[in-house]
Amino acid sequence: MKNTNYIMIASLIISVFAGTAAQAAESVKKDPMQIVRGAKSWAQSCGSCHNIRPPKDLTDEEWEVSALHMRVRANIPGNVIRDIIAFLQASNNEKVKE
Amino acid sequence: MYGKLKKKILYAPLFTSMLLMSGGAAQSQETAVDFKNKIIELEQRISGLESLKQELQELKKNLLQKEEKVLAKEETLVSEIKSIKSLRKSLSVRESKPRGKWHLAGYADVGFEAISGDNNDSFVAGKFNPMFHFQYEDWLLFEGELQIVTNEAGETTIDVEFSQLDFMLHDNITLVVGKYLSPIGQFQERLHPSWINRSMNAPTGFGHGGVQPANEVGVMLRGGVTLTDEVTFRYSLSAGNGPRFGHDDDELELEGIGADNDSSKALGGRLALVHKSSLELGFSYLDSGVNSKAGLLPDGDMALARKGDYRLWGADMAYTKGSWDIRAEYLNAKNSPSGGTVAGGFEEVNWEAWYAQMAYRLSGMLDNPALGKLEPVIRYGEFRTNVGDELQLSAEKRWNIGINYWLSSSIVVKTGIERRNYILVNRADETRYKVQMAYGF
């Protein structure tokens, strides 16, 4: 019974926060300094555990997923990880950016 | 009326010319008949022309009607093409921004090991750890990792290192549910993959079979908060099933267990501060009740009821500026009988492990691109286990000295010597010579 209560509370928290998190991500506006901040954070955050991986190692989509994994594993704030993704996607020369 | 007049006008010159050509009154009856016939013939031709004219008018009318229909159809087609273009555009936008994304990552290593004494030299199959990441929009990530190893007996084992759902609740809060790597310390969660680990194995007392749990089954809140321009705070707070007693008193099963045998949850985690100078300081803590009922063990041995309190604390540091990679970590764990030795049913067990490690990439001081890929590394660590006051055989001091050669940022060839000094005199020391190649993908 006690465990059931925990699960219900956890489910409620997930539902409330998941919606707001998705909206927050959508509302991020273009920021010309984002790539500059991302380059600094990429060197510092990624290099704190392993060699920094070159942007060309992965595609735009792969970087999004991989960076989200690193956000969780290394406890990197969400706004910092978005900066890093912006830098990596702008630098991987996967295609001519529109 | 107009038609008749038109006929007369047409016939008059024709008739006149025929009369002139034919001559006067002496013309024969035969000639008159000829004229009459020709007139009839002409009238028939005129009639034919009239009907042709009517047919042409009919055709013109039909053509106009068909042209109107074609124009109408053309308009319909243009409209349909526009709607198809719009649909295609919307579909192609969905394709470039799918809700679900995935990425296959992981690492693998192979190696060779020569051990002093009577041990045989061996090629080591190493590990193959595929890692799966599935992301839904920006708020949910599933991640799982398998560890596939061919052991000394030739058997292949597959273990789930972690299998977890991550909910991005907020920029600074992530909820993790499932089986996850223990957040205690820095080595087990972040440094153990062979392409990240600067040395060829875990420091003594760390990793699988070490002081701390390798993984845990439960829930965890974690994240990072930027405190100032220079300092970031990082936290991981976990509640899981926790450890349980193993076969012997000094043995605790610390791997993430899929069910709790005593409803006593393990609470703990790690708090850390990261300075922009690349200095990180962390503190870890874990507390759990450990209880087992009396009964027969799977191997037939009889076990008494045991009741204990497991407590672990640890501290770690890292400095990773430029070519430097300097780390140190300390763990201290204790499993004490609840209410004293008699009430708990076993003797207190203490575990202690620490290491200090330094690596330097020569690219920081050499311009030569080939030599710059070299990285000397040195590590020293100690591990002790005491049951009551008695030190156990596993007590060890370990030196690792090696040189790494980085073929790329995630492909490395490591060579090194490992010296194991066992603290108890009745266990012979060992020297191991190792080569390992690791690839993170």
Side-chain angles (χ1 to χ4, degrees), chain A residues 14 17-18 21 25 44 48-52 54 61 64-65 68-69 71-75 77-79 82, chain B residues 101 133 135 143 162 168-171 175 189-190 196 198 222-224 234-236 276 320 327 406 409:
Chain A
I14 292 167
F17 278 93
Q44 191 165 23
S48 67
C49 293
H50 53 73
N51 291 335
I52 47 177
E61 189 175 304
E64 285 179 31
V65 184
L68 197 65
H69 157 70
R71 168 181 166 178
V72 178
R73 179 58 54 84
N75 289 335
N79 59 320
R82 285 194 292 275
Chain B
K101 288 168 266 190
H133 301 141
Q135 176 184 343
E143 45 182 339
F162 58 86
M168 315 297 148
L169 303 184
H170 184 270
D171 269 3
L175 173 67
E189 188 180 47
R190 293 189 283 140
I196 296 174
R198 290 315 206 252
R222 63 186 305 162
R234 293 176 180 172
Y235 69 93
S236 305
K276 75 169 189 179
T320 51
R327 299 176 188 277
W406 289 94
S409 60

Side-chain angles (χ1 to χ4, degrees), chain A residues 6 13 16 27-28 32-33 44 51 54-55 60 62 74-75 77 83-84 93-94 96-97:
Chain A
Y6 290 147
I13 292 169
V16 171
S27 66
V28 174
M33 290 304 289
Q44 191 165 23
N51 291 335
D60 283 3
E62 287 171 334
N75 289 335
D83 291 347
I84 293 173
N93 294 331
E94 179 200 0
V96 176
K97 309 291 182 189

Side-chain angles (χ1 to χ4, degrees), chain B residues 249-261:
Chain B
D249 284 350
D250 65 334
E251 187 185 347
L252 274 186
E253 291 177 1
L254 293 168
E255 309 291 328
I257 298 166
D260 200 346
N261 67 336

Side-chain angles (χ1 to χ4, degrees), chain A residues 10 14, chain B residues 142 163-167 175-180 218-220:
Chain A
I14 292 167
Chain B
F142 167 79
S163 172
Q164 64 190 63
L165 281 171
D166 308 326
F167 298 86
L175 173 67
V176 179
V177 186
K179 182 177 183 180
Y180 45 84
V219 297
M220 176 163 56

Side-chain angles (χ1 to χ4, degrees), chain B residues 141-157:
Chain B
L141 177 71
F142 167 79
E143 45 182 339
E145 181 185 319
L146 301 174
Q147 178 158 291
I148 304 168
V149 180
T150 301
N151 63 22
E152 294 170 356
E155 297 164 342
T156 298
T157 60

